[in-house]
Amino acid sequence: MRILVTGGAGYIGGVFVRAARDAGHEVMVIDSLTTGHAESVPSGVEFVHDDLRNRAAIAPLLRRADAVLHFAALSIVGDSINDPVSYYRENLGGFISLLEAVKECGPRMLIFSSSAAVYGNGEGRPFREDDPCLPVNPYGGTKLAMEQTLAHVAPALGLTSFSLRYFNAAGAVADHGEAHSPETHLIPLALDAALGLRELTLFGTDYPTPDGSCIRDYIHVSDLAEAHLTALDALAAGDAGGALNLGTGTGRSVKEVAAVVEQVTGRALPMKVGPRRIGDPALLVAAVDGAAERLGWRASRSNLTEIIEAAWGWHQEFKERGAQS
Ligand SMILES: NC(=O)c1ccc[n+]([C@@H]2O[C@H](COP(=O)([O-])OP(=O)(O)OC[C@H]3O[C@@H](n4cnc5c(N)ncnc54)[C@H](O)[C@@H]3O)[C@@H](O)[C@H]2O)c1
């Protein structure tokens, strides 16, 4: 299959690009490098450095593609709270522009990177796909608006699609890992703390959870990539698509993650307690039967120790490269 990946120079898109290439697909990437890294696009993969809203750049790629995987987005919750208009313009506006180009040029299969942030605060149990979606921050709002746009537009375009709601992507593959700037995700921040580069802040220890810190569902980024390939095969086989959670079904608290980072790195983390961050639900854990039933897929590489071991290996090399350049 020929696959166009928007945001393929980013963290999750980059891991998907490698998995798709290794599975024998022909992969093309368009990325504005707003948060991505050109050097993380593997050699041999066609790469266009441009914004996906530039019709002249994306149309020739779409015409040659059988499917588009739409990873490109802004995804920092705090920034979305400070500047929601920009978030709606970039995420929803960018997506509408992509759909206009798809309408004109094809392809007819699309996979969209949605998020657990569509759910909001919930009732303290794992989220099912049919739970109400009541996002508590503008980032989650943009993702829900994009899902709804897709659900309305897809039939008119003859498009089949999955909206895959990722929980917390984590871990690394040999030559690619998590490097957001600024970084807001717990595991890379904790690894930075292990390297003595920062103090780790625990944002709120008064949540209604057993140890008071937030609980998240960490899924290995390789599991995410594999789920996308499985979803793509399902669309190609005639599946009608829909919204599915991608997580493990197991929640780990911020304090637990910090403890596993200390164990894996063999280093005590400098830590301090800070106030809660606005827009952080206490618990985000996936109910995972939907993906199992629809795709026959479950996460299989998402043991937290293995995730952190993989992330630690990659993180040290990445920081060393940064220090040398
Ligand atoms: N990381 C997570 O835990 C997580 C969880 C849920 C959902 N998601 C979603 O998954 C997707 C990928 O996340 P990530 O962590 O890899 O982020 P990332 O920032 O590493 O990657 C996003 C990529 O999109 C590119 N991009 C942004 N706007 C663009 C535009 N207009 N045109 C072209 N390229 C553009 C960026 O340069 C970057 O390379 C995002 O849609 C995000 O909302 C991520």
Side-chain angles (χ1 to χ4, degrees):
M1 216 183 281
R2 276 169 304 182
I3 304 171
L4 176 61
V5 179
T6 75
Y11 170 44
I12 305 171
V15 173
F16 174 78
V17 165
R18 287 159 172 76
R21 177 202 58 186
D22 294 349
H25 296 294
E26 190 185 317
V27 186
M28 303 171 273
V29 169
I30 186 164
D31 196 300
S32 62
L33 301 181
T34 312
T35 55
H37 308 268
E39 64 278 9
S40 61
V41 180
S43 60
V45 169
E46 184 175 346
F47 172 45
V48 175
H49 172 195
D50 214 321
D51 194 292
L52 64 91
R53 285 167 294 196
N54 180 359
R55 191 71 65 88
I58 202 164
L61 302 172
L62 284 173
R63 283 199 189 94
R64 285 159 45 212
D66 302 303
V68 57
L69 274 86
H70 182 46
F71 293 93
L74 301 182
S75 56
I76 298 178
V77 169
D79 287 354
S80 81
I81 292 167
N82 293 332
D83 190 359
V85 174
S86 293
Y87 261 67
Y88 275 90
R89 186 191 62 229
E90 293 294 320
N91 288 358
L92 181 58
F95 189 47
I96 289 171
S97 172
L98 174 66
L99 290 171
E100 282 172 340
V102 166
K103 180 180 171 190
E104 189 185 304
C105 310
R108 296 291 169 250
M109 291 185 282
L110 185 149
I111 295 182
F112 163 56
S113 301
S114 190
S115 167
V118 299
Y119 289 115
N121 283 325
E123 294 167 5
R125 59 165 174 77
F127 287 99
R128 294 163 42 101
E129 287 85 349
D130 56 2
D131 278 334
C133 288
L134 301 165
V136 291
N137 56 61
Y139 164 66
T142 68
K143 291 285 171 179
L144 181 58
M146 292 157 83
E147 279 198 20
Q148 290 171 335
T149 303
L150 184 57
H152 286 137
V153 163
L157 298 191
L159 191 63
T160 53
S161 65
F162 277 109
S163 290
L164 299 179
R165 296 174 178 166
Y166 316 158
F167 283 65
N168 285 56
V173 293
D175 62 340
H176 186 62
E178 186 165 16
H180 299 106
S181 181
E183 189 56 79
T184 59
H185 290 167
L186 174 61
I187 291 174
L189 290 175
L191 296 176
D192 262 1
L195 289 172
L197 300 175
R198 67 168 77 231
E199 206 174 10
L200 180 66
T201 305
L202 310 181
F203 292 107
T205 50
D206 57 350
Y207 283 96
T209 59
D211 69 17
S213 64
C214 285
I215 293 179
R216 297 289 180 264
D217 182 340
Y218 294 90
I219 176 163
H220 196 296
V221 68
S222 292
D223 271 334
L224 281 183
E226 181 189 71
H228 285 66
L229 289 173
T230 310
L232 203 51
D233 285 345
L235 292 179
D239 194 299
L244 288 176
N245 290 338
L246 295 182
T248 67
T250 301
R252 307 296 295 255
S253 75
V254 171
K255 287 183 181 172
E256 279 180 279
V257 172
V260 177
V261 170
E262 289 189 323
Q263 194 191 336
V264 166
T265 62
R267 302 175 188 195
L269 301 185
M271 276 188 264
K272 65 176 179 196
V273 174
R276 291 182 180 195
R277 290 187 301 198
I278 299 168
D280 256 350
L283 178 138
L284 281 174
V285 176
V288 293
D289 287 346
E293 284 160 18
R294 288 290 300 282
L295 302 177
W297 176 90
R298 282 185 193 276
S300 60
R301 302 164 195 157
S302 293
N303 167 285
L304 185 59
T305 301
E306 286 168 31
I307 283 177
I308 291 173
E309 282 170 352
W312 177 230
W314 185 83
H315 196 83
Q316 291 174 93
E317 276 179 30
F318 179 71
K319 292 288 166 173
E320 264 169 37
R321 276 204 307 275
Q324 284 162 10
S325 60

